[in-house]
Amino acid sequence: MASEITLDELRARAARAGIELTEDELKELLPGVNRSHKQVNDLRELHSDADEPAGVFAAGRGQRE
């Protein structure tokens, strides 16, 4: 799994996105950002290209006018 996002990385990412945050706001957001980052990485580990969907939804098929 990727390492946690640091305060400096969060500051840089916010600046790149054009979001101005105070140091206190960054510190408050960091635990939630790292929690979400971990959840995304956990989900990526669960995904397998070998898993095919059981069926395909096709809106509009079989409708009668």
Side-chain angles (χ1 to χ4, degrees):
M1 183 181 93
S3 62
E4 288 190 346
I5 296 171
T6 66
L7 192 58
D8 289 335
E9 290 171 327
L10 182 57
R11 185 182 301 109
R13 291 175 187 201
R16 241 188 344 254
I19 302 171
E20 295 180 23
L21 298 169
T22 66
E23 196 70 14
D24 287 340
E25 289 171 326
L26 288 166
K27 287 178 183 177
E28 188 176 335
L29 287 172
L30 188 59
V33 168
N34 276 316
R35 189 171 42 254
S36 296
H37 183 64
K38 181 187 179 316
Q39 289 172 339
V40 166
N41 285 324
D42 289 347
L43 288 172
R44 284 185 177 145
E45 288 177 15
L46 291 175
H47 176 73
S48 170
D49 290 334
D51 295 335
E52 297 269 339
V56 177
F57 174 76
R61 280 193 178 168
Q63 290 183 353
R64 296 183 183 173
E65 295 183 16

